[in-house]
Amino acid sequence: ADWGEQLVGFATGRLFVANLGASESSEEKFVEEVKVKMETVGKEGETWSFERPSWVSTGKDEGGVEGLVCCARATSPWRLGLIYCMNRRSKILFIPWGGSEGSPDEERSAVTVSEESTDWAAWSPVVFRRDGKVFCVYLSVDSGENRKPHHACSRVVERELIPPSASSQEWTVGARRVVVDIFGSAEDPEGGGKGSDGETSKYGKESRGVYSESLPERCVSADGRFLFLNSASGPFPVVLCVNLLSGTVSVCPSPALKNGGKRGASELLDLCADGGTALVTSHSPS
């Protein structure tokens, strides 16, 4: 069996890195496979497909790379497609890259960033820095009623990636923090202002939850305090601004709105490296 959709004939995804600085005559491998110790990913006999890898840098050395973060999806029995089915069992992994695990042929241990007991499906990791620390933000749903509908409301989760130190020689993760919880959950099916944890919702009046297939690769402000993502408000695509510290959510005004209009569709394409300028496409209904 394979993944179907646009991936007919493919069953397992693997990770590769390319050394763009190596010449053809160099002994360094131009392309190498990232071999992961599967016992550090899941139970014995399980197989996983890896997707959306990105580099992690602590910033200690300019341009220093210390690891990879990626999404790992269980290949069985939830083989329902990689493109349109996010609510399948999956997790966020961090794979250390430096130190003793620098040999291309050596299997690398993986640190699980998401929480298996509360993140049935976790995907779309984005790594950023705030106040000298490294964080990973991702989307997730739990194993209850919230995971059943396709493209249902998801939560925004943040976790710190803690590099090795004098007291610990291994990479570790900080406490899991739900920035934005699922809105209109089984406990509050009408979306009347409570999150799935029973707390009062911090959503603005125009926002009814986070409905996002994935986070843009660049979506966090330069200071690491704001997350911008694509979602929906009723029938309209919108860009949400999430305060990563307070958890408040607001809808960014559509550039297409004119003459006091109240409705418009927007989509975030990219956030510039300075974290202060966004590229957005927008239109208003006729």
Side-chain angles (χ1 to χ4, degrees), residues 97-103:
W97 194 255
S100 61
E101 294 190 312
S103 172

Side-chain angles (χ1 to χ4, degrees), residues 135-179:
F135 293 88
C136 178
V137 64
Y138 58 91
L139 301 174
S140 85
V141 294
D142 56 39
S143 59
E145 294 294 320
N146 297 320
R147 76 171 171 87
K148 291 184 177 179
H150 290 271
H151 300 281
C153 189
S154 57
R155 59 171 59 92
V156 178
V157 183
E158 180 187 88
R159 204 158 195 183
E160 183 184 356
L161 299 178
I162 305 174
S165 63
S167 59
S168 174
Q169 299 302 313
E170 304 292 335
W171 278 83
T172 57
V173 291
R176 175 182 179 274
R177 188 172 71 89
V178 177
V179 180

